[in-house]
Amino acid sequence: MAQATGIGGVFLRADDPKALSSWYRTHLGIDLSQGAWMQSAGPTVFAPFPRDSTYFEQDRQVMLNFRVDDLDGLIAQLVAADIAVETRAEWDSEIGRFARIHDPEGNPIELWEPAGPAVG
């Protein structure tokens, strides 16, 4: 059977696409200058949520989740750049640690440092 083999792109509407791209490059290291972001291999969760879920803002259709290699270091960088970071002990589990931020357009972003070696 033919099937999807991975995420081919994430597309966001923005009031200022260039500024938003710059924000992602500056604060999360997502460099799109070559036309595509070459990601590190690892797991990707694709999970539809019930419409009434409170896992992320109910007025948002999508929440981005990025795997990160050093959550504490990234949190420190974000806080130094005056970006609000939320953490909750109940978000952390045997699969890893989590934090949440929002981009300048208000899109929710979950940052995930997987526990142990990345699953390939």
Side-chain angles (χ1 to χ4, degrees), residues 86-94 96-99:
E86 182 179 2
T87 60
R88 294 185 191 171
E90 65 264 23
W91 291 343
D92 300 341
S93 70
E94 66 279 352
R97 299 175 47 232
F98 298 86

Side-chain angles (χ1 to χ4, degrees), residues 1 7 9 38 46 49 56-57 61 65-68 75 78-79 82 96 99 105 107-108:
M1 177 179 99
I7 302 282
M38 299 307 293
F46 184 88
F49 281 74
F56 60 95
E57 292 94 338
Q61 191 70 10
N65 173 293
F66 293 112
R67 276 179 279 116
V68 303
I75 288 171
L78 294 167
V79 169
D82 291 325
E105 298 276 342
N107 296 305

Side-chain angles (χ1 to χ4, degrees), residues 6 10 12 16 26 33 37 44 69 78 96-97 100-101 112 120:
V10 175
L12 304 172
D16 187 341
T26 300
S33 63
W37 171 40
T44 298
D69 61 0
L78 294 167
R97 299 175 47 232
R100 300 233 181 122
I101 62 174
W112 168 39

Side-chain angles (χ1 to χ4, degrees), residues 45-53 55-56 61-62:
V45 176
F46 184 88
F49 281 74
R51 179 124 351 246
D52 62 352
S53 171
Y55 191 68
F56 60 95
Q61 191 70 10
V62 173

Side-chain angles (χ1 to χ4, degrees), residues 8-29:
V10 175
F11 307 98
L12 304 172
R13 295 185 193 279
D15 291 328
D16 187 341
K18 287 182 182 179
L20 191 59
S21 290
S22 177
W23 185 90
Y24 276 91
R25 182 178 53 257
T26 300
H27 300 294
L28 298 178

